[in-house]
Amino acid sequence: MSFAVSPKIDCPHEHSYHGLCQEVGQIPFRQWIEENGRAITSDPQCSAIGCAGCETWICMYCREQFCSRYEMAHMVGHYEDSIPPAQMNDPPGSLKHCLAFSLSDGSFWCYECDTYIYSPQCREIAVTFSDIKFPDNGTSDSSVVDNDRSPVTPWTPSFLPPPPPIQSNPPPLTFEELCDKLKTKQFNRVAVLTGAGISVAAGIPDFRTPGIGLYARVAELDLPELERPEQIFQLELFKDNPYPFTKIAKECLLSPDIKPHPVNAHHFIKQLNDANQLLLNYTQNIDGLELEAGLPLSKLVQAHGHMRSAHCYRCRYEHPMKDFLAACERYQPLLCKYCNEDNAEDGGGDGYNDDDTPVRKGYVKPDIVFFGESLPESFHSKFSQIDDADCVIVMGTSLKVYPFAFLVAALRSTVPIVVINRDNPGFSAERILFLPGEIEDNVKKIMNALGWQTV
Ligand code: CNA
């Protein structure tokens, strides 16, 4: 799932919770996931009687499963009805059953803080979960302790102060060291994390650049349905009213002025791979320009999906992408052919309302991830591969969207990070080689230093 707010990294309830588990001899959640993982990840079901909800969360206290606010919201009901665990000593603040873990995407929610949360312990749980849910793809092995990486975080006793932030020990790379280590192949497992900023030079607006970003364009269009531009990509809104998204798709994404082509940033990633130095390119972009530049799909993790195919959001029936694009051209949302059929198997009576208008069910959307949807399996299954990186390059992203931004949240403190972006998306200045300014200029400088061909 993708969510638009930064998670809280110092949730006091999560911190106390781990200690309380230890105090009352409750099996730590990570271990519990390890022991019960296969059973609960294969077919999560909401425990509420008669509920078929499947976007399921698990209560970290009692370990019951309930569906999320996007379905029947049984998990929030469980929290509201809960009382602090009886056998536990009086903890600071309320300790109702406020912590929930998503069996869809491995994220954490605290109902007391009313936000997503994250911490080194959360990450260890998420990695364990990911290894169990996607056993064939995961590469991390928690039994292996890397010398310069902390071993699995032990559960902290209750009410100790929160753990200190991860220390950054070595000084950041210099530009010359970066080029030298790339040239001499001392870096040969480079993870590249990208966002909309790398495709701006290709003519595709990013989200947040004031004045020209997509959100600024959305604000200019006459769309009274939207309280905030971000809602354009919200599944809940799309389900009820797909017109705003259709309008944006037509005006901004399919505009004849946009003839996107890969630029140096995309060619740089492709050439890194040609030189056998690319671990993976994790991208938030949906434009596919990395593939157009020649990067194989096996080296690309499209965390927010892509525009190569389209499905009904409701029944998942696949529709030709050209039908979706043609409908956008007419400013018409595309109704799913399958679940809007009169005789669709999944009910709906004769398919008509009392006033003889057809019952509207599913609409078709391209396979991009909306807020409120799970991220593709490939993101979760390849998430922990970032642990193998010997250098991380972050380009063209504000790192405001989670869980993508979790990729950098717990990198080893010894892994060099290079940020190529107009602004620093929140790293401590001592931690990174920061190359501000135009992405294309900086990428060209690196490519020239390596003797690689630019466009
Ligand atoms: P964002 O939040 O808009 O951030 C983009 C970042 O790039 C910002 O920090 C900008 O300052 C920086 N930037 C933009 N142009 C340049 C430039 N020419 N030189 C240097 N820096 C620049 O976008 P994110 O990718 O972080 O946000 C994630 C969203 C954006 C994902 O869900 C994407 O799907 C979505 N998106 C993708 C595309 C695409 O596929 N090309 C386009 C627009 C939005």
Side-chain angles (χ1 to χ4, degrees), residues 173-188 190 268 272 277 391 393 418 433 445-452:
L173 286 176
T174 63
F175 180 82
E176 291 69 31
E177 282 168 343
L178 169 69
C179 297
D180 181 57
K181 290 189 175 201
L182 284 174
K183 201 169 195 167
T184 56
K185 303 215 170 185
Q186 289 178 63
F187 289 148
N188 52 28
V190 181
F268 171 65
L272 257 183
Q277 289 171 280
C391 175
I393 299 179
V418 182
L433 165 60
K445 275 188 207 154
I446 300 172
M447 292 173 85
N448 287 335
L450 298 175
W452 291 357

Side-chain angles (χ1 to χ4, degrees), residues 2 194-201 204-209 214 284-288 304 369 396-401 420-423 425 437-440:
S2 172
T194 48
I198 69 162
S199 294
V200 169
I204 306 175
D206 67 0
F207 269 0
R208 293 181 179 78
T209 295
L214 196 65
Q284 297 165 92
N285 293 349
I286 53 168
D287 55 38
H304 295 166
V369 177
T397 173
S398 60
L399 289 179
K400 285 207 164 75
V401 177
I420 307 175
N421 207 46
R422 190 171 291 137
D423 30 54
E438 285 298 307
I439 295 170
E440 282 294 284

